[in-house]
Amino acid sequence: MAARSISDESPLARLATRRGTDGQPWLTAPEAEAGERLRRDWTRGAMMPRVTQSWDGLPGSGRSRSSGNDLGDAALDCRKRVGAALTAVGPELSGVLVDVCCFLKGTEQVERERQWPVRSAKLMLKAGLGALARHYGLIHQAGEGRGGLRGWTAEP
């Protein structure tokens, strides 16, 4: 089940265990995995904003002033993957993905902060996770794998 791979602290864990009216999980396994992958890269890329004072580089600390370029290659790769993923889903969906998957905000909190209608964040999140899952190659676009894309026009 998708919820096992998702951190218990994540709002995705709750959504991955919920069932829709048809009895199926509300989030598909690829959608849940895509959200978790984004969160892992965000965390490993050290992209969380600082909430406390940085004492690095002060006289007597024994460290030189940090220019912010001290990230390792792995963290930089994670940041690049996050940037590519958010670009792939577009600006309309990337904000809700960052809020829920990375900052671990609940959908109700996102709706209050953005002054969205009730339950709209859930729908935006599902759409964003679907686009993110396609970006990661966890699901394919319609028509792929079954003889290619189909069109309404007559073949030339």
Side-chain angles (χ1 to χ4, degrees):
M1 184 174 186
R4 291 181 190 163
S5 66
I6 298 174
S7 170
D8 289 338
E9 66 187 20
S10 170
L12 288 181
R14 291 186 302 274
L15 292 174
T17 59
R18 295 232 171 120
R19 302 241 177 234
T21 56
D22 59 356
Q24 297 297 317
W26 190 76
L27 287 180
T28 65
E31 291 168 344
E33 175 57 31
E36 180 63 16
R37 189 180 292 188
L38 179 67
R39 187 180 73 79
R40 275 193 315 262
D41 279 343
W42 182 276
T43 302
R44 290 178 183 161
M47 298 179 75
M48 289 298 286
R50 287 184 180 225
V51 292
T52 61
Q53 175 69 37
S54 173
W55 298 100
D56 294 343
L58 290 177
S61 69
R63 297 181 185 166
S64 62
R65 288 203 184 264
S66 174
S67 64
N69 297 328
D70 297 337
L71 288 174
D73 290 340
L76 291 174
D77 287 344
C78 288
R79 285 181 176 210
K80 287 178 186 176
R81 285 194 300 270
V82 168
L86 295 179
T87 298
V89 301
E92 299 83 7
L93 300 173
S94 62
V96 71
L97 288 173
V98 168
D99 281 347
V100 175
C101 299
C102 304
F103 289 127
L104 306 177
K105 294 180 181 178
T107 54
E108 298 85 7
Q109 182 181 356
V110 171
E111 290 163 356
R112 277 192 309 272
E113 289 175 357
R114 295 172 181 243
Q115 299 178 349
W116 285 356
V118 175
R119 294 186 183 85
S120 60
K122 246 173 101 172
L123 296 175
M124 296 293 285
L125 176 65
K126 184 148 177 78
L129 289 171
L132 194 60
R134 273 193 304 282
H135 168 73
Y136 286 138
L138 301 172
I139 58 174
H140 301 286
Q141 291 181 350
E144 286 185 10
R146 297 183 310 170
L149 296 175
R150 298 179 184 182
W152 290 101
T153 60
E155 293 191 26

